[in-house]
Amino acid sequence: MMMNKLIWPDKWISVKARMIFIAAIFILWVFISYLKYFVFHVDGVLQVVSFYAWLIIWTYLFDKDIPTGTGSMTFDDEDEAGQIVRTLFSLMALVVFFLVQFFGDW
């Protein structure tokens, strides 16, 4: 795979695979949220941060605008530099998601 295709997830990941990935990490989020708050009685807000990270990953994989509030992370298929920034931002969100799930709030 060429590196310039990496920033366009719709060119190398099928829609079915993207949907399965998003559904799997959402189910993981729900399951770990249940464990944290109802089984282990953890008082923390990092699960909300990880939900926002999940939202960023979802919007990246399906070429939607990333809701960053003050920043502009809109999808523009003509702007390759912007798509590189979106890719890096989404990879950081993926790392934050898994860090919060397995290390945060415990």
Side-chain angles (χ1 to χ4, degrees), residues 9 12-30 50 53-62 87 90-98 101-102:
W12 61 279
I13 304 174
S14 70
V15 173
K16 185 177 179 181
R18 289 183 279 168
M19 290 176 68
I20 289 171
F21 179 72
I22 290 297
I25 63 174
F26 182 74
I27 291 169
L28 176 71
W29 181 81
V30 169
S50 68
W54 173 83
L55 183 64
I56 291 171
I57 296 163
W58 175 77
T59 56
Y60 169 71
L61 287 177
F62 290 98
T87 302
S90 299
L91 288 175
M92 288 188 302
L94 186 64
V95 169
V96 166
F97 177 83
F98 283 112
Q101 294 305 304
F102 298 113

Side-chain angles (χ1 to χ4, degrees), residues 1-105:
M1 176 175 54
M2 298 178 65
M3 285 304 290
N4 62 353
K5 284 190 178 182
L6 182 64
I7 63 174
W8 307 106
D10 59 335
K11 293 186 179 181
W12 61 279
I13 304 174
S14 70
V15 173
K16 185 177 179 181
R18 289 183 279 168
M19 290 176 68
I20 289 171
F21 179 72
I22 290 297
I25 63 174
F26 182 74
I27 291 169
L28 176 71
W29 181 81
V30 169
F31 178 71
I32 292 181
S33 295
Y34 171 77
L35 286 178
K36 284 182 179 181
Y37 295 113
F38 297 110
V39 175
F40 297 114
H41 304 290
V42 174
D43 294 329
V45 296
L46 288 180
Q47 282 302 100
V48 175
V49 172
S50 68
F51 180 77
Y52 192 70
W54 173 83
L55 183 64
I56 291 171
I57 296 163
W58 175 77
T59 56
Y60 169 71
L61 287 177
F62 290 98
D63 294 335
K64 306 289 183 192
D65 295 344
I66 296 176
T68 57
T70 58
S72 176
M73 291 299 290
T74 56
F75 175 75
D76 182 12
D77 57 354
E78 300 291 323
D79 184 15
E80 191 167 315
Q83 190 66 18
I84 290 171
V85 171
R86 283 172 50 92
T87 302
L88 294 175
F89 194 70
S90 299
L91 288 175
M92 288 188 302
L94 186 64
V95 169
V96 166
F97 177 83
F98 283 112
L99 285 176
V100 168
Q101 294 305 304
F102 298 113
F103 299 109
D105 282 342

